[in-house]
Amino acid sequence: CSVINILIVYLIQMACISQQDLIQISQQSRKYLVNFIREIGEKLRLSMETIHIGVAYMDYLLSKYGSQRERYYMIATTCLVLAAKYDELDRNIPSAQEFLKAASAKLPLSRVEDLKECEIVCLRYLEWNLRVITPLIFVQILLTQGVLHSSDTINGKESVTPFIAKEVRTKALYFSNLALQYYDILQY
């Protein structure tokens, strides 16, 4: 029942952002921003779910409201800040200064006040609704519910080994992370 509820919420969210909505930002710019969010997230040791949520916030904000190109990296950083505050345990949430230090290559002159200001603006545009369901959640649900079982067979002979189960998990997570990069996969 909870999986069905999550699926319904996800489908409603995806109806709000379609491929046509994403024309305000070029594919190349979005790809740079996604890589930027991922790099900062990895530097700060944030979870992949937090990174996916940050990308979802960024997609929503830039598709609905657009922005000046020079503000893209500040918006991307802010979306990751919001995602961390939403998804991470309190002890794992980096400070605003840590975010700015991690993003210093693209935001060399930014101050904590700038980040907090952008955070308030983004929250208003998101209408304070930070609940988002990403494709990674579905991958995690399928993996925890078991897409492979020890009683499964391959070609009717060989049992599914722990190695194969691990490989399925690794590939599923790899492709869900790769999916962040491409508009074509965002067709819901």
Side-chain angles (χ1 to χ4, degrees):
C1 184
S2 64
V3 174
I4 292 171
N5 290 340
I6 290 172
L7 179 59
I8 291 168
V9 170
Y10 175 72
L11 293 173
I12 290 169
Q13 287 173 344
M14 295 308 104
C16 295
I17 304 173
S18 69
Q19 172 128 5
Q20 293 172 333
D21 289 334
L22 293 171
I23 57 174
Q24 292 181 357
I25 178 172
S26 72
Q27 287 185 19
Q28 194 64 32
S29 292
R30 184 183 176 281
K31 197 171 192 177
Y32 288 138
L33 292 171
V34 169
N35 283 335
F36 176 72
I37 287 175
R38 183 180 288 156
E39 287 170 15
I40 292 174
E42 288 172 359
K43 278 183 192 175
L44 297 174
R45 297 184 178 178
L46 299 174
S47 70
M48 282 311 298
E49 182 58 28
T50 299
I51 292 168
H52 280 245
I53 291 170
V55 170
Y57 292 162
M58 180 194 71
D59 282 341
Y60 178 81
L61 291 170
L62 292 179
S63 70
K64 288 292 249 187
Y65 304 104
S67 181
Q68 299 165 335
R69 184 178 285 266
E70 59 272 3
R71 302 277 299 159
Y72 282 176
Y73 287 102
M74 179 58 88
I75 291 169
T77 303
T78 303
C79 288
L80 190 58
V81 168
L82 292 172
K85 288 181 177 182
Y86 177 76
D87 191 55
E88 296 287 334
L89 296 174
D90 287 346
R91 67 176 175 264
N92 297 341
I93 300 171
S95 68
Q97 283 150 325
E98 290 173 303
F99 274 102
L100 289 176
K101 183 178 179 186
S104 63
K106 300 291 183 183
L107 301 171
L109 303 176
S110 295
R111 304 168 306 154
V112 170
E113 294 79 22
D114 298 333
L115 187 62
K116 288 181 180 179
E117 215 174 277
C118 191
E119 190 174 353
I120 291 168
V121 170
C122 288
L123 282 168
R124 284 186 188 138
Y125 282 136
L126 290 168
E127 298 176 0
W128 292 84
N129 181 12
L130 299 181
R131 183 175 174 201
V132 65
I133 297 173
T134 66
L136 183 59
I137 288 175
F138 286 105
V139 169
Q140 291 171 340
I141 288 171
L142 290 172
L143 291 173
T144 58
Q145 298 297 318
V147 292
L148 291 178
H149 302 281
S150 59
S151 61
D152 290 344
T153 59
I154 298 175
N155 296 328
K157 298 177 183 175
E158 184 181 323
S159 300
V160 174
T161 64
F163 173 78
I164 291 173
K166 183 179 177 188
E167 282 297 302
V168 167
R169 179 178 181 73
T170 301
K171 300 294 189 265
L173 293 173
Y174 170 78
F175 285 111
S176 67
N177 290 330
L178 185 64
L180 283 177
Q181 295 291 328
Y182 299 98
Y183 276 164
D184 293 345
I185 297 174
L186 289 176
Q187 294 179 16
Y188 310 110

